[in-house]
Amino acid sequence: ESVGAVVRRNDGGFYLLKLYSQQPNNSPKGELLKVTADGHSSLIANAQGWSGYSRPGWHLMSVTANGDALSVQIDGQPILQAHDSSFARGVAGLYSQADGSTKFDNVRVTLP
C-alpha cells in the first residue's frame, strides 16, 4: 500500500512520490521516482530515517517543486530532498495504490 503525489506531469513523464505506512521492515518508507513517457522509472531520492505514516489518521503532506529542487514534508517534518531538472513544468495529482481507504482533503496547488 502506498499514497503520494504526482508532480510536473507532462508529455515527457513525471515525478512520482510514493509514501508507505509504518511496517516492521527496514526498507525506506518514502521514495521519489522519475517516470518517463515510455514507462521506465528511476529512483531520485528516498526517505531514509523516516518511519512512515501511521494509520488510521490524517497527515499533512507538503510537496514543493521550485526550479530543480524537490522536497517533501510530512506533518511539518522534512523527509526527502532532491535536485533534478528533467521536468520543468506540468500538472499535479494525487496517488494511491492498493488502498481502498485513502482519503485526500484540503488539497491546494500554488505557484512558487
Side-chain angles (χ1 to χ4, degrees):
E1 298 177 356
S2 60
V3 300
V6 173
V7 181
R8 293 184 176 170
R9 169 76 169 94
N10 62 48
D11 290 340
F14 55 92
Y15 297 111
L16 175 61
L17 170 67
K18 295 174 85 173
L19 303 172
Y20 302 95
S21 63
Q22 295 174 337
Q23 298 175 20
N25 61 37
N26 292 328
S27 63
K29 303 301 186 244
E31 58 189 5
L32 182 64
L33 303 170
K34 175 171 52 175
V35 181
T36 57
D38 61 5
H40 289 93
S41 64
S42 58
L43 180 68
I44 296 175
N46 62 39
Q48 290 288 36
W50 182 59
S51 62
Y53 66 89
S54 59
R55 298 177 52 133
W58 289 97
H59 299 281
L60 177 62
M61 175 176 64
S62 173
V63 180
T64 303
N66 191 359
D68 73 341
L70 304 161
S71 62
V72 178
Q73 292 187 0
I74 302 297
D75 297 327
Q77 174 189 0
I79 66 160
L80 189 149
Q81 294 183 9
H83 290 271
D84 188 274
S85 59
S86 299
F87 310 118
R89 57 180 45 107
V91 299
L94 302 172
Y95 168 85
S96 177
Q97 178 183 12
D99 184 356
S101 63
T102 298
K103 296 177 180 142
F104 296 96
D105 192 15
N106 297 323
V107 175
R108 284 181 250 152
V109 177
T110 58
L111 295 174

